[in-house]
């Protein structure tokens, strides 16, 4: 008994130890699979540029799906403006990223030996970038180039793609979300030989370095950063060009390019100011980023197709080659489609304007145009498919409405014809009575419903002529002035018995296919062979039952050819009567 108790205690302890071990391992995320994201999960960071988005990383399913969220602190610090969903791929070292913007664009990531990840976009647009945690713990997103799956080069992170370790203080208000000027850099840049101007007043700077001792290029570099090294040069990108110049002894920096012409001056507080708004803009601000890049934020008014917004240019002089990069981002607004607005990013690499570079840029532009045409064709195909689906639903609704309207129109026409028949008969009866009254010179009692006497037969018969008021399809008839071969069916006239059965007046309906676009229904043609107008009703079989149309007053010798697009057979029903008859047209 004692031995059994010892074994039970041993097994219980072993079970508790294994449970604790498995529980501890379940809460850990494998850094060999997730790389830098293993350290970023559960943190929120703010960029060096106070105007940039915050980034937050959190698990939606620990170890399975990580959410990388971009937060606009000037609108909503709690909820993400857009989100990237990151999961493990099927192959070791592969991560998959899907964005909630850009139409759900996807990237394939490759884990590097240092834990960083290189993401390459799927489809025509690659937008390759490299995410890194530096030894100082700074998260950086760097634009990169890959050849044969290997990282060959990358650009330095900008002030708004560098995220130091977590901060708790709220950032200053973003420049592009307010009407004030952007804040000046908080520290001088290390890229320039001379320090970049800070928020200190110009007068204090002048005291340390007299303006009279500065050369114009030195003053321009101090005020406007490394981009001033490109002064006096021209550059090309595809079919566009850019150039830079100085004025007023280096106090004004002139930039000409895609954005138009911008002239910048350093303000009294050290911030950069536009001497005038660039073309087509309604607002413009500029500042130097901490890495020396010149940032211009140009706000454009809206139109029917473009929602007004701010286009941010980050101009960076390249240290590894002649030229500069223009990284563009719509901070808000963009193209408007179907009530929605779309933001976009773009990167343009400018090279010195010479014959070789111009030729190469034209080839690159042609390649981009081909890719854009392919993207446009794909978008048009998607739009056409969506439009077709919408129109299919609309056509079904229109066909239903047309069917209902045709039925209502036929009923209305028949009712109006009956009212006209009554009015015609009343007018003829009144005319006969007045003629009889004049002949007998005696008053007539109109209240009497008795038939007229035989003597009234000698009165001139009331006559009515008819003319058609419609072409093919439903119609109506009315009495016309002048002589006519049609005589009233009134007993006073007494000539109705000389007419044949109205069914003998109509030729048998001759059915044939009725083409309606991509549909085929049935139509039928009839002719009036009698000397009197007739009323005709013809009905076609549909999947909803009979659909009827009427022609009131089909004149002698005339034809009528109605049809129905939704008819499902050649079966045609018809009925006929003389137009002055009180009988009702038969229904199927």
């Amino acid at each position: 008994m004692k031995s059994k108790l010892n074994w039970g205690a041993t097994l219980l302890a072993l079970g508790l130890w294994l449970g604790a071990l498995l529980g501890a391992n379940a809460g850990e995320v494998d850094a060999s699979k997730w790389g830098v994201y293993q350290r970023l999960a559960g943190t929120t960071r703010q960029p060096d540029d106070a105007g940039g988005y915050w980034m937050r990383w959190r698990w939606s399913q620990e170890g399975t799906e990580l959410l990388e969220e971009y937060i606009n602190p000037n609108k909503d610090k709690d909820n993400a403006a857009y989100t990237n969903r990151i999961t493990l791929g099927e192959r070791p070292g592969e991560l998959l990223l899907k964005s909630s913007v850009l139409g759900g664009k996807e990237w394939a990531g490759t884990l590097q030996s240092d834990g960083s990840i290189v993401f390459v976009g799927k489809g025509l647009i690659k937008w390759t970038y490299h995410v890194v945690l530096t030894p100082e713990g700074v998260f950086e997103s760097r634009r990169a180039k890959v050849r044969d799956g290997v990282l060959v080069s990358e650009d330095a992170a900008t002030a708004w793609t560098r995220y130091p370790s977590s901060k708790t203080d709220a950032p200053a208000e973003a420049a592009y979300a307010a009407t004030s000027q952007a804040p000046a850099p908080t520290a001088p840049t290390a890229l320039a030989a001379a320090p970049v101007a800070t928020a200190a007043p110009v007068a204090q700077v002048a005291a340390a370095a007299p303006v009279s001792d500065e050369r114009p290029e030195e003053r321009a570099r101090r005020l406007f950063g490394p981009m001033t090294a490109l002064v006096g040069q021209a550059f090309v990108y595809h079919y566009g060009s850019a150039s830079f110049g100085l004025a007023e002894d280096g106090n004004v920096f002139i930039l000409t390019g895609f954005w138009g012409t911008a002239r910048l001056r350093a303000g009294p507080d050290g911030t950069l100011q536009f001497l005038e708004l660039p073309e087509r803009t309604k607002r413009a601000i500029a500042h130097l980023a901490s890495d020396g890049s010149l940032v211009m934020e140009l706000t454009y008014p809206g139109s029917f197709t473009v929602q007004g917004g701010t286009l941010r240019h980050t101009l960076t002089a390249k240290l590894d080659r002649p030229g500069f990069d223009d990284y563009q981002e719509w901070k808000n607004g963009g193209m408007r489609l179907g009530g929605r607005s779309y933001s976009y990013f773009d990167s343009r690499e400018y090279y010195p304007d010479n014959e070789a570079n111009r030729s190469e840029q034209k080839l690159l532009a042609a390649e981009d145009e081909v890719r854009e045409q392919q993207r446009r064709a794909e978008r048009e195909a998607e739009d056409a498919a969506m439009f077709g689906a919408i129109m299919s639903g609309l056509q079904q609704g229109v066909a239903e409405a047309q069917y209902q309207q045709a039925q209502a129109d036929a009923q209305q026409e028949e009712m109006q014809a009956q009212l006209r028949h009554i009015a015609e008969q009343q007018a003829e009866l009144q005319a006969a009575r007045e003629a009889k009254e004049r002949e007998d010179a005696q008053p007539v009692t109109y209240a009497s419903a008795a038939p007229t006497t035989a003597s009234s037969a000698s009165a001139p018969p009331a006559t009515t002529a008819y003319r058609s008021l419609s072409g093919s399809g439903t119609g109506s008839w009315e009495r016309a002035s002048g002589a006519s071969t049609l005589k009233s069916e009134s007993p006073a006239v007494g000539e109705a018995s000389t007419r044949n059965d109205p069914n003998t007046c109509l030729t048998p309906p001759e059915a044939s296919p009725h083409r309606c676009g991509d549909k085929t229904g049935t139509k039928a043609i009839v002719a009036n062979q009698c000397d009197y107008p007739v009323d005709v009703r013809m009905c076609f079989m549909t999947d909803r039952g009979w659909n009827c149309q009427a022609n009131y007053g089909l004149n002698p010798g005339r034809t009528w050819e109605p049809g129905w697009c939704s008819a499902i057979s050649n079966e045609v029903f018809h009925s006929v009567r003389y137009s002055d008859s009180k009988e009702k047209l038969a229904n199927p």
Side-chain angles (χ1 to χ4, degrees):
M1 184 69 172
K2 182 177 180 180
S3 175
K4 291 181 179 179
L5 289 174
N6 287 341
W7 275 108
T10 301
L11 291 173
L12 177 61
L14 180 62
L16 292 174
W17 177 78
L18 287 173
L21 179 62
L22 293 174
N25 290 339
E28 296 179 358
V29 175
D30 192 348
S32 66
K33 297 180 179 179
W34 289 92
V36 299
Y37 289 120
Q38 187 263 350
R39 294 174 55 189
L40 292 170
T43 66
T44 300
R45 298 194 175 201
Q46 303 170 17
D48 282 343
D49 189 333
Y53 282 83
W54 295 2
M55 292 188 71
R56 178 173 64 199
W57 296 269
R58 60 185 179 89
W59 294 108
S60 63
Q61 300 176 24
E62 187 169 0
T64 302
E65 183 181 66
L66 181 70
L67 302 182
E68 183 177 62
E69 299 176 319
Y70 289 79
I71 300 170
N72 186 344
N74 299 287
K75 292 185 178 180
D76 189 342
K77 295 181 180 180
D78 298 321
N79 298 309
Y82 60 93
T83 303
N84 295 333
R85 294 182 177 272
I86 305 173
T87 57
L88 296 176
E90 296 180 356
R91 298 186 298 273
E94 181 184 48
L95 291 90
L96 304 177
L97 183 150
K98 184 173 183 178
S99 176
S100 63
V101 296
L102 301 174
K105 183 170 179 58
E106 298 179 352
W107 280 260
T110 303
L111 188 63
Q112 308 297 302
S113 59
D114 60 354
S116 63
I117 299 111
V118 175
F119 285 101
V120 179
K122 296 182 179 181
L124 295 174
I125 303 177
K126 301 305 179 184
W127 276 334
T128 304
Y129 67 98
H130 186 197
V131 294
V132 177
L133 267 181
T134 68
E136 295 78 20
V138 178
F139 172 79
E140 295 185 352
S141 178
R142 307 168 180 170
R143 285 176 289 168
K145 293 183 179 179
V146 172
R147 183 177 295 115
D148 298 328
V150 178
L151 179 66
V152 294
S153 66
E154 62 182 11
D155 294 340
T158 65
W160 51 293
T161 61
R162 295 184 72 256
Y163 290 79
S165 57
S166 301
K167 300 178 182 179
T168 56
D169 297 334
E173 186 178 22
Y176 61 82
T179 56
S180 61
Q181 296 288 345
T186 56
T189 177
L191 297 179
V196 178
T198 66
V202 174
Q204 297 179 13
V205 176
V211 175
S212 59
D213 294 337
E214 281 186 312
R215 291 181 302 170
E217 57 271 17
E218 293 175 343
R219 183 179 303 111
R221 186 177 182 86
R222 174 175 60 82
L223 296 175
F224 307 110
M227 283 294 294
T228 57
L230 307 178
V231 166
Q233 303 179 54
F235 303 88
V236 292
Y237 170 79
H238 288 190
Y239 297 113
S241 62
S243 60
F244 306 92
L246 292 176
E248 299 183 15
D249 294 330
N251 287 306
V252 175
F253 186 30
I254 304 172
L255 307 89
T256 303
F258 165 79
W259 50 84
T261 299
R263 298 199 303 158
L264 295 174
R265 178 194 295 274
D269 58 354
T271 60
L272 301 182
Q273 300 176 354
F274 284 85
L275 294 184
E276 64 273 325
L277 290 176
E279 294 88 339
R280 304 183 307 278
T281 63
K282 66 176 183 180
R283 179 173 172 266
I285 59 175
H287 68 274
L288 284 178
S290 61
D291 65 351
S293 297
L294 179 59
V295 179
M296 299 190 302
E297 294 177 353
L298 310 177
T299 302
Y300 295 87
S303 67
F304 180 74
T305 56
V306 177
Q307 181 179 347
T310 299
L311 180 59
R312 176 175 180 151
H313 295 270
T314 301
L315 307 179
T316 305
K318 303 304 294 181
L319 303 178
D320 57 346
R321 64 169 175 84
F324 70 98
D325 286 352
D326 176 14
Y327 188 79
Q328 302 174 10
E329 179 192 8
W330 275 101
K331 301 297 289 184
N332 55 350
M335 295 305 296
R336 175 181 294 157
L337 178 62
R340 295 176 295 175
S341 62
Y342 296 83
S343 298
Y344 73 88
F345 306 86
D346 191 15
S347 179
R348 302 185 175 187
E349 299 179 353
Y350 284 80
Y351 290 84
D353 187 359
N354 55 49
E355 185 174 353
N357 286 336
R358 281 196 300 271
S359 299
E360 182 180 1
Q361 289 298 314
K362 288 180 180 179
L363 291 176
L364 293 175
E367 292 176 0
D368 283 355
E369 179 61 25
V370 171
R371 287 193 290 268
E372 177 59 29
Q373 290 177 357
Q374 292 175 340
R375 290 193 294 269
R376 190 181 301 117
E378 292 174 358
R379 289 195 299 267
E380 290 176 352
E382 293 175 357
D383 292 344
M386 181 178 296
F387 180 77
I390 294 173
M391 291 305 298
S392 177
L394 289 176
Q395 287 173 351
Q396 183 176 359
V398 169
E400 174 68 19
Q402 288 176 337
Y403 173 80
Q404 298 292 342
Q405 185 63 42
Q407 293 287 60
D409 290 345
Q411 294 174 358
Q412 181 70 17
E413 286 287 348
E414 182 170 358
M415 183 179 67
Q416 293 294 332
Q418 291 175 355
L419 292 176
R420 285 194 295 271
H421 293 333
I422 294 172
E424 292 287 347
Q425 294 298 322
Q426 288 177 342
E428 292 174 2
L429 181 59
Q430 178 67 19
R433 287 178 175 174
E434 290 176 353
K436 178 64 174 177
E437 183 178 355
R438 287 194 298 271
E439 181 181 350
D440 297 342
Q442 294 180 357
V444 178
T445 303
Y446 294 100
S448 174
T452 56
T453 63
S455 60
S456 64
S458 61
T463 61
T464 308
Y466 296 85
R467 64 169 178 264
S468 173
L469 292 183
S470 65
S472 61
T474 59
S476 60
W477 58 278
E478 68 176 3
R479 184 174 64 183
S481 60
S484 171
T485 59
L486 178 63
K487 298 185 181 297
S488 171
E489 275 189 321
S490 169
V493 178
E495 294 186 12
S497 61
T498 62
R499 295 191 297 192
N500 297 324
D501 184 344
N503 288 298
T504 63
C505 294
L506 206 64
T507 60
E510 182 178 345
S512 61
H514 185 38
R515 307 292 182 186
C516 305
D518 58 350
K519 298 177 62 176
T520 301
T522 303
K523 61 182 178 180
I525 186 169
V526 294
N528 181 5
Q529 303 179 110
C530 290
D531 294 332
Y532 304 94
V534 293
D535 299 340
V536 185
R537 171 174 290 153
M538 283 210 286
C539 305
F540 302 90
M541 179 57 70
T542 71
D543 56 0
R544 296 174 177 269
W546 289 102
N547 177 274
C548 297
Q549 304 176 43
N551 188 327
Y552 300 103
L554 181 62
N555 281 330
R558 300 299 297 273
T559 61
W560 179 43
E561 188 177 24
W564 191 250
C565 297
S566 300
I568 59 176
S569 71
N570 289 333
E571 186 178 3
V572 178
F573 171 87
H574 75 283
S575 60
V576 61
R577 70 181 180 193
Y578 286 113
S579 294
D580 58 350
S581 173
K582 296 181 180 180
E583 297 179 0
K584 292 185 177 180
L585 286 170
N587 289 306

